[in-house]
Amino acid sequence: MILREHVPLSSLTTLKVGGLVRYVVECASESDVREALTFAHAQNLPWSVLGEGSNVLARDEGYAGVLLLMRMQGCVFEETDGSVLVTAGAGVPWDEFVTLCVERGLWGVENLAGIPGTTGASPVQNIGAYGTEACDSLVEVRVLNTKTGEVEHIANKDCAFGYRESRFKHDKTLIILSVVFRLQIEGSPSLGYKDLAAYEAMNGALTTPKAIAGAVRSIRAQKFPDLATHGTAGSFFKNPTISKEKYTELAEKFEGLPGFANDTGVKIPLAFVLDRVLNLRGYTEGNVSLFERQPLVLVAHTGATAHEVDVFAKSIAERVHDVTTISVEREVQPFPSKI
Ligand SMILES: Cc1cc2nc3c(=O)[nH]c(=O)nc-3n(C[C@H](O)[C@H](O)[C@H](O)COP(=O)(O)OP(=O)(O)OC[C@H]3O[C@@H](n4cnc5c(N)ncnc54)[C@H](O)[C@@H]3O)c2cc1C
């Protein structure tokens, strides 16, 4: 178990903000996790879990507890009838996992290429992009239930998956140790998203998982800031789903407002509202901006504090509400979730 003290959260999160953590433990195995929990208990301190910190807004106050960084490696591929079961350690970087799969010609996660973070965090908000979500190929999640001390295998149907949703987002007593996916040996491209279709029209047919993953990475490189030089957690807000009536009303008011019907209403791209309705592309207050190339992405510049990011995000949400009466929800979660 590797233990560090007084580590800035700004160095552990991609938004690059946040104060000091009392203890940080790098967990490379289940026994490291158990040891870290025992340590936290002995110190009478709370504990919490992070992967690569790419979906959190860390608080300026820091964290007076024990932070477990999930670093378990290893992917095991097991061929069954016409498909392959892949078990990935929680600390495997997600994009490395995707690379290992597409290099083998396996179908299922190619549209999710290029998403930052760990494989262990992929079920937490049920990562999604270009018409695919983690839950589409996920079989089960292996967790340490910290209330019982037992390892449990939670089947897909029991994960309460939804749009950027799962039970793991809310139940912080479950530590994900590994995730099992079922990938297909035979498959067909899912290229319904306009960016992918446009890429194909320009560059030729995308016929293999590897080619699709490459296309997705290249499209994403145009849309997202470079994590090496920018503080960001990707899309800061969720795309809202509104009622059909509300959509009709807004579409009359705001010409060209796209809408995608789903089970509960109509999902609208918030980027359209930020850009075309509110004209906020590149909008900046102090050290925080909406990214010029994709206004749903918030950028924390050098010197930004978590408080500034929080105030900025609140003011953006208020502007959206003032003009559309839509209450937007954050995709990025506060860390720690409670003080
Ligand atoms: C540039 C950029 C682009 C992005 N694009 C997308 C996108 O297209 N689609 C998308 O869905 N997301 C996207 N994201 C968000 C982010 O990449 C994902 O949410 C990712 O899964 C977070 O992984 P992480 O390891 O960084 O999790 P962290 O940010 O470290 O943690 C996120 C939450 O999960 C919990 N958690 C992490 N690991 C575990 C574990 N092993 N057990 C239990 N709980 C755990 C943490 O406590 C925290 O609450 C993007 C982010 C960035 C910075």
Side-chain angles (χ1 to χ4, degrees):
M1 189 176 95
I2 302 168
L3 187 88
R4 288 184 283 151
E5 293 187 60
H6 307 297
V7 182
L9 276 163
S10 53
S11 69
L12 303 172
T13 59
T14 59
L15 261 168
K16 306 187 205 295
V17 297
L20 298 179
V21 183
R22 181 68 187 87
Y23 294 105
V24 169
V25 181
E26 306 235 347
C27 297
S29 64
E30 182 190 326
S31 64
D32 282 354
V33 171
R34 290 184 186 276
E35 217 180 310
L37 295 177
T38 306
F39 175 76
H41 186 70
Q43 301 287 321
N44 202 17
L45 287 174
W47 58 268
S48 220
V49 172
L50 276 185
E52 290 178 6
S54 64
N55 205 33
V56 292
L57 172 56
R59 300 178 196 269
D60 294 323
E61 295 84 346
Y63 181 52
V66 180
L67 174 59
L68 284 65
L69 291 184
M70 303 308 275
R71 296 293 178 257
M72 295 85 137
Q73 298 304 307
C75 286
V76 178
F77 290 78
E78 218 179 312
E79 192 166 336
T80 60
D81 299 338
S83 64
V84 174
L85 284 177
V86 193
T87 305
V92 174
W94 173 260
D95 200 41
E96 277 181 39
F97 167 74
V98 172
T99 299
L100 289 174
C101 297
V102 300
E103 290 286 344
R104 286 170 166 78
L106 298 172
W107 295 87
V109 290
E110 60 281 358
N111 288 27
L112 302 176
I115 298 180
T118 54
T119 303
S122 65
V124 176
Q125 76 151 357
N126 183 25
I127 55 170
Y130 300 102
T132 301
E133 291 181 314
C135 69
D136 297 335
S137 51
L138 185 146
V139 176
E140 67 174 30
V141 180
R142 297 181 183 162
V143 302
L144 175 64
N145 180 332
T146 58
K147 283 189 288 197
T148 62
E150 300 292 323
V151 172
E152 293 172 10
H153 295 199
I154 303 179
N156 183 315
K157 68 175 174 41
D158 300 319
C159 293
F161 284 128
Y163 166 60
R164 304 293 187 270
E165 267 302 333
S166 77
R167 67 187 279 188
F168 312 108
K169 199 163 170 179
H170 307 283
D171 183 351
K172 293 296 174 192
T173 65
L174 302 174
I175 300 181
I176 298 168
L177 301 172
S178 59
V179 188
V180 184
F181 292 89
R182 184 183 295 283
L183 300 178
Q184 303 304 323
I185 294 168
E186 301 290 336
S188 53
S190 164
L191 304 171
Y193 262 59
K194 75 171 182 348
D195 290 353
L196 273 171
Y199 184 96
E200 201 177 30
M202 287 242 318
N203 299 282
L206 297 167
T207 54
T208 64
K210 191 175 170 182
I212 295 168
V216 167
R217 287 189 185 112
S218 135
I219 294 166
R220 293 181 67 97
Q222 303 302 314
K223 289 213 158 155
F224 290 101
D226 182 353
L227 290 179
T229 49
H230 291 68
T232 184
S235 304
F236 199 86
F237 300 102
K238 290 183 180 183
N239 286 315
T241 290
I242 56 179
S243 69
K244 274 189 192 144
E245 296 71 35
K246 178 90 200 153
Y247 173 71
T248 310
E249 181 198 319
L250 290 177
E252 271 170 25
K253 209 166 154 191
F254 305 116
E255 203 190 325
L257 177 71
F260 305 94
N262 61 26
D263 295 346
T264 48
V266 182
K267 187 153 104 175
I268 60 162
L270 188 60
F272 182 95
V273 176
L274 297 172
D275 181 14
R276 308 273 288 276
V277 176
L278 291 166
N279 201 20
L280 290 176
R281 193 180 271 268
Y283 175 72
T284 301
E285 273 176 28
N287 294 311
V288 193
S289 302
L290 294 181
F291 191 47
E292 189 65 46
R293 280 185 265 148
Q294 162 54 288
L296 197 51
V297 172
L298 196 148
V299 178
H301 302 285
T302 310
T305 62
H307 178 69
E308 256 185 290
V309 174
D310 187 52
V311 169
F312 181 85
K314 272 189 193 135
S315 99
I316 298 297
E318 273 168 24
R319 282 163 181 251
V320 172
H321 188 264
D322 287 349
V323 173
T324 63
T325 73
I326 296 171
S327 301
V328 290
E329 243 183 273
R330 291 184 186 190
E331 183 178 315
V332 173
Q333 298 295 298
F335 180 84
S337 49
K338 290 191 190 99
I339 296 184

